[in-house]
Amino acid sequence: HEPVVEGADAAAVTAFMDAHAEALRERLAETDAAVDRVRDDIILTMPGQLAFEPDRADIEPAFDLVLEAVAAVLTAYADTQVEVGGYTD
């Protein structure tokens, strides 16, 4: 179970998460990546065609900008826990 955060601590966590999501939105505004705030999570969706050509495993050079933007935000918000998920075609 996740720890329950209440009162001022909950407000601080909410503000932190909101700021983090907004920073991601700003950095990724020129890409097809989507940033959604869902309860206590930030969901970053990066369409496969943004990163890979069909039937290829090599990351597209243009995707480097997206990865660099995400890395910059994660560095700025170093206390963030990250879970990466994906699938192949």
Side-chain angles (χ1 to χ4, degrees):
H1 289 86
E2 293 291 320
V4 175
V5 181
E6 297 177 343
D9 289 338
V13 169
T14 297
F16 175 85
M17 295 293 289
D18 288 345
H20 190 170
E22 187 57 31
L24 281 167
R25 281 188 196 98
E26 288 174 8
R27 293 295 299 256
L28 297 170
E30 301 298 319
T31 73
D32 289 333
V35 179
D36 297 299
R37 178 88 155 76
V38 180
R39 294 180 299 281
D40 291 337
D41 295 322
I42 297 170
I43 310 293
L44 176 59
T45 305
M46 296 180 273
Q49 69 271 18
L50 187 64
F52 302 98
E53 288 290 326
D55 298 321
R56 301 288 311 217
D58 302 322
I59 294 175
E60 288 292 299
F63 192 60
D64 288 346
L65 295 174
V66 174
L67 293 177
E68 288 169 6
V70 171
V73 173
L74 291 176
T75 299
Y77 292 88
D79 292 335
T80 301
Q81 294 180 12
V82 177
E83 179 180 324
V84 177
Y87 62 92
T88 61
D89 56 357

